[in-house]
Amino acid sequence: MAETAEAQTQQTDDSRHAARAERKAAKLAKQIGAFAAAHGGAEGQLAYIGQTGTRIVLVGEDGGWGDLVAPSYAVAESAVRKAGITVHEDFDGEFAAKVRTGPYEWSRMAGIQVGGPSNG
């Protein structure tokens, strides 16, 4: 009898976890859709970042870019599937060439080497 109660508790916990993951994926999909609408479409790439989760890197058709973090790879996959964007295996080649950076990004990436902020 104790096993039955334990199994029911586990099923309840699993159901709650699945519902929470589904809500998070839906929220991320909505954000991805908003990004795509603002940038004439979007493509993405998923990058596992450890216990923190998975980064969803987005690149718009206009070269704008951004990212979101999902709590797991499965949630990230669900979100991009719901959003209906193309997902690339790697961030290289033609996909990476679409990214357009501005003065802010260049100064932050270059730091003190080319007269940008010292980042300190």
Side-chain angles (χ1 to χ4, degrees), residues 5-28:
E6 188 176 307
Q8 288 176 340
T9 300
Q10 183 63 40
Q11 285 179 332
T12 301
D13 289 347
D14 291 347
S15 295
R16 286 181 183 155
H17 179 72
R20 190 176 307 123
E22 184 62 29
R23 286 190 305 271
K24 183 63 177 174
K27 181 178 179 181
L28 288 167

Side-chain angles (χ1 to χ4, degrees), residues 14-71:
D14 291 347
S15 295
R16 286 181 183 155
H17 179 72
R20 190 176 307 123
E22 184 62 29
R23 286 190 305 271
K24 183 63 177 174
K27 181 178 179 181
L28 288 167
K30 186 175 181 180
Q31 292 172 312
I32 293 167
F35 178 89
H39 295 276
E43 298 176 51
Q45 190 260 337
L46 305 181
Y48 177 70
I49 54 177
Q51 289 182 341
T52 304
T54 298
R55 174 169 282 124
I56 304 168
V57 180
L58 301 169
V59 179
E61 289 300 315
D62 64 357
W65 60 278
D67 67 346
L68 299 166
V69 176

Side-chain angles (χ1 to χ4, degrees), residues 77-107:
E77 284 182 315
S78 178
V80 296
R81 188 174 48 254
K82 288 176 186 296
I85 65 169
T86 299
V87 179
H88 297 267
E89 290 292 320
D90 297 307
F91 194 84
D92 61 3
E94 289 181 34
F95 180 52
K98 290 182 178 185
V99 175
R100 298 291 172 249
T101 56
Y104 172 78
E105 288 86 4
W106 281 103
S107 69

